[in-house]
Amino acid sequence: MSRLRRDWWGKSSAGVFGGLGLALALAGLVAWLTPGGPAATNKFQLIMWLVSPLWLGVLSLCFLFPSGASAWRWLGGANLLAFAALAACRHFLA
Amino acid sequence: MRSDIIRLYKSVHTWTGILTGLALFIAFYAGALTVFEGPLERWLSTPPREASTPLDKAGELIEKTLAARPDASKEFYLYLEDDDRVRLAWEKRTVRTVPDNAPWTAHLEEDGQLALVQRHPSHMAQFIDSLHRTAGIPGDGEIGEHFMGVVSVLYAVALVSGLIVVLPSLVKDFLALRLGKNLKRFWLDAHNLVGVVSLPFHLVMAMTAVVFAFHDHLYDLEDKLVYGGQLRAIMKASNPLAGLKPDPHPATMVSPRQVLDKVRDLEPGFRPLILHYRDGGTGSAVIRVLGEDPRYLLRGKGFLWMEGRSGEILSTDYFPGRQGSWNTVVSSIFALHFASYGGDTVRWSYFFLGLAGAFLFYSGNLLWLETRRRQEKHHGPAVAQSRASRVMAALTVSISLGCVAGISLSLAAGKILSGKVNDINAWHQGIYYAFFLGAVAWAYIRGAARSAPQLLAAASLATAAIPMSSLVVGDSALAGVDAVAATASLALAWMAHRTAHRGKRGPGDSVWAVAPHETKQH
């Protein structure tokens, strides 16, 4: 088993910023891909609420990454994918 | 689970816990009290209470009030009392949403004459709510709320990390509460037990608090990233009142009795509490009927919007049982934070969960202190604790007890001073902060060991002042508040006694020892 590096700053920053970005993108995907689209009546409230558990979940678990660099790689990659998907939604589904 | 993960998460838990524990103590203690904000508000409004008018005369009351005071038309409230009576009140607002804290009330005398009275109610109940949202950090509320938002983010991490740490031993140790010479073991068991049992409650609080603090920023980010700048338009489209055309011409409205009949026909299980009028008496008058329905999870009070002239129902988006799928989910989340479901049983449960939460944070700090205790050697010289430990101990007792005593004293003072001073709300805040900051200074100067029993005794006396103030004023309404306060006062007195005992006779190598002394052999 490889050792778990502490990397407090690396992991926390990935969790805070990478986690927030990922949460926003995933919530956005929910907005676009669920019935009614982003403009459905009152749906925008729930979409905003989703960001909280998603972000806090990623932030809490980010210390499980083997290292800060690894955390940034994974979360950075996830962010790129999620935002790309979101951009596609906004372009093709608008 | 791997031991290096546990070790890492133990550090995470310790740091996030230490940084947020005391702020969260205030939030949870004040939050527990806020569950009963309504009853506290009523307790604070000493006699003579506002006069009420029979419901059947409410239409006449509204007409006469609007004739005498047209400025009330913009926004006024009809509060529904028991036995079919109503109270009418409105506030002048210099800016749309900022009330001037001096509401006017109107009622009809026996002979039908309109009587208008301006009141200056105590806002202590709302101040307790604001303490719970800001931990008392001064500023316009935004600073405090943002600070508590950050605290809540760390708090969520503290919860998950605590769960990870306790998971391996969960089955074996969960219900154990090992009393004995090892104090740390006892505090650890108590901390774990309370934490695990109330984990769902805490997760909800952390998650919702983050949203309450940061929702504006989240909406702004999403506007750019998700909605392509369309979010304001989407919000407006979701507002049932957005499409209404203003019509200032005078027009008769349906009577309150008719409004309530209509609501009862729609949903007999809904209990209306307040009729909120906007642009009353005009062609574009709208009425919001707010109330309770314990069968549903509601966002505070559930409500519907009705057209004032015709009584036609405009929107049931936030009405129990008719919320639409998105609103139902969001209202449920709100309800889980505000205890606005399930009636009194849920309210009392949240009250005790709130107090248990305060205990959780207090015990967490105690654990930190016990872990860092410098052990005395058998028959060795007296051991003094580290500076960090002494400061943490002083802060722990003073912030928690300063908050408890400050709130109690301020409540009691509010009851006695009501109607006797110009700006009662300045008194509330002054008394709270004076006592709170005084307690922090006192504990720092005297040390935790000496000041803890003194602060506990002060908290006990301050809390006893609550039922005393009711006696002084001669008010027996809402005895529940007095009964709870009396019980709490006794509990605090017992704690003061036990703490004083520990100071003298407990282990000498502790921040709680009155003077570094050799532990007396029992």
Side-chain angles (χ1 to χ4, degrees), chain B residues 67 87 89 165 185 206 363 416 446:
Chain B
R87 282 184 299 117
V165 167
R185 190 83 250 171
S363 59
I416 295 179
R446 303 280 294 164

Side-chain angles (χ1 to χ4, degrees), chain B residues 290-302:
Chain B
L290 299 116
E292 281 182 345
D293 192 335
R295 301 168 299 171
Y296 293 91
L297 291 126
L298 296 173
R299 180 174 172 155
K301 294 182 178 57

Side-chain angles (χ1 to χ4, degrees), chain B residues 128-446:
Chain B
I128 294 177
D129 184 10
S130 118
L131 280 177
H132 132 254
R133 281 182 283 113
T134 64
I137 290 172
D140 61 358
E142 277 226 16
I143 299 170
E145 286 183 20
H146 279 77
F147 174 79
M148 288 308 282
V150 174
V151 165
S152 301
V153 172
L154 294 172
Y155 163 45
V157 177
L159 289 168
V160 175
S161 58
L163 183 66
I164 291 176
V165 167
V166 88
L167 223 42
S169 62
L170 197 55
V171 174
K172 188 163 48 86
D173 290 345
F174 178 45
L175 290 171
L177 205 62
R178 286 162 282 204
L179 287 146
K181 298 202 87 178
N182 189 342
L183 280 172
K184 188 187 163 191
R185 190 83 250 171
F186 170 72
W187 284 115
L188 185 62
D189 288 341
H191 182 86
N192 290 348
L193 182 60
V194 173
V196 171
V197 165
S198 41
L199 185 64
F201 175 76
H202 285 276
L203 287 172
V204 166
M205 290 306 165
M207 188 275 274
T208 50
V210 167
V211 170
F212 290 151
F214 297 130
H215 62 277
D216 283 338
H217 303 290
L218 292 175
Y219 277 132
D220 286 342
L221 285 167
E222 286 187 327
D223 193 18
K224 294 183 185 62
L225 297 169
V226 176
Y227 296 101
Q230 297 302 304
L231 185 54
R232 300 294 150 199
I234 293 173
M235 284 176 167
K236 194 161 177 206
S238 291
N239 180 356
L241 302 182
L244 292 178
K245 295 194 183 3
D247 178 2
H249 299 110
T252 39
M253 299 188 291
V254 289
S255 73
R257 172 71 78 183
Q258 287 170 305
V259 170
L260 293 176
D261 285 344
K262 191 131 195 192
V263 172
R264 199 175 347 105
D265 288 342
L266 181 70
E267 177 55 73
F270 177 79
R271 187 175 148 232
L273 294 168
I274 305 175
L275 266 53
H276 171 199
Y277 288 76
R278 274 203 190 154
D279 298 330
T282 70
S284 54
V286 284
I287 307 172
R288 187 161 66 130
V289 183
L290 299 116
E292 281 182 345
D293 192 335
R295 301 168 299 171
Y296 293 91
L297 291 126
L298 296 173
R299 180 174 172 155
K301 294 182 178 57
F303 60 87
L304 55 73
W305 283 101
M306 197 184 268
E307 208 190 54
R309 246 190 330 185
S310 61
E312 182 197 327
I313 293 178
L314 292 169
S315 164
T316 54
D317 281 349
Y318 293 91
F319 192 77
R322 286 173 170 73
Q323 290 186 80
S325 35
W326 302 115
N327 261 359
T328 304
V329 178
V330 173
S331 293
S332 305
I333 301 172
F334 272 94
L336 286 171
H337 184 104
F338 293 137
S340 45
Y341 63 102
D344 282 339
T345 312
V346 170
R347 275 193 274 265
W348 278 105
S349 305
Y350 272 60
F351 176 73
F352 285 113
L353 280 166
L355 294 180
F359 168 78
L360 191 67
F361 310 123
Y362 189 88
S363 59
N365 279 17
L366 256 48
L367 275 169
W368 188 88
L369 289 165
E370 289 300 322
T371 307
R372 273 151 197 76
R373 205 163 102 183
R374 288 185 187 144
Q375 304 281 2
E376 66 179 0
K377 306 212 183 358
H378 197 56
H379 288 310
V383 173
Q385 298 304 311
S386 74
R387 184 138 214 263
S389 290
R390 282 184 288 122
V391 169
M392 176 57 91
L395 283 175
T396 301
V397 297
S398 60
I399 287 183
S400 49
L401 292 171
C403 171
V404 171
I407 289 177
S408 292
L409 211 55
S410 199
L411 276 169
K415 188 107 176 181
I416 295 179
L417 295 173
S418 188
K420 294 196 180 67
V421 294
N422 254 349
D423 189 352
I424 186 138
N425 294 302
W427 277 84
H428 280 309
Q429 298 203 21
I431 290 173
Y432 174 79
Y433 284 111
F435 204 92
F436 179 79
L437 295 170
V440 174
W442 184 254
Y444 186 74
I445 294 168
R446 303 280 294 164

Side-chain angles (χ1 to χ4, degrees), chain A residues 22-94:
Chain A
L22 187 59
L24 287 164
L26 288 175
L29 285 170
V30 171
W32 279 94
L33 296 173
T34 50
T41 307
N42 283 318
K43 185 175 177 180
F44 65 89
Q45 297 186 47
L46 182 60
I47 300 304
M48 185 277 295
W49 276 95
L50 284 176
V51 175
S52 179
L54 289 169
W55 180 31
L56 297 174
V58 172
L59 181 56
S60 304
L61 299 174
C62 73
F63 300 99
L64 289 170
F65 284 108
S67 69
S70 162
W72 269 108
R73 275 198 302 272
W74 279 98
L75 284 172
N79 266 277
L80 284 171
L81 275 174
F83 275 106
L86 184 58
C89 283
R90 285 174 60 183
H91 183 79
F92 293 111
L93 295 177

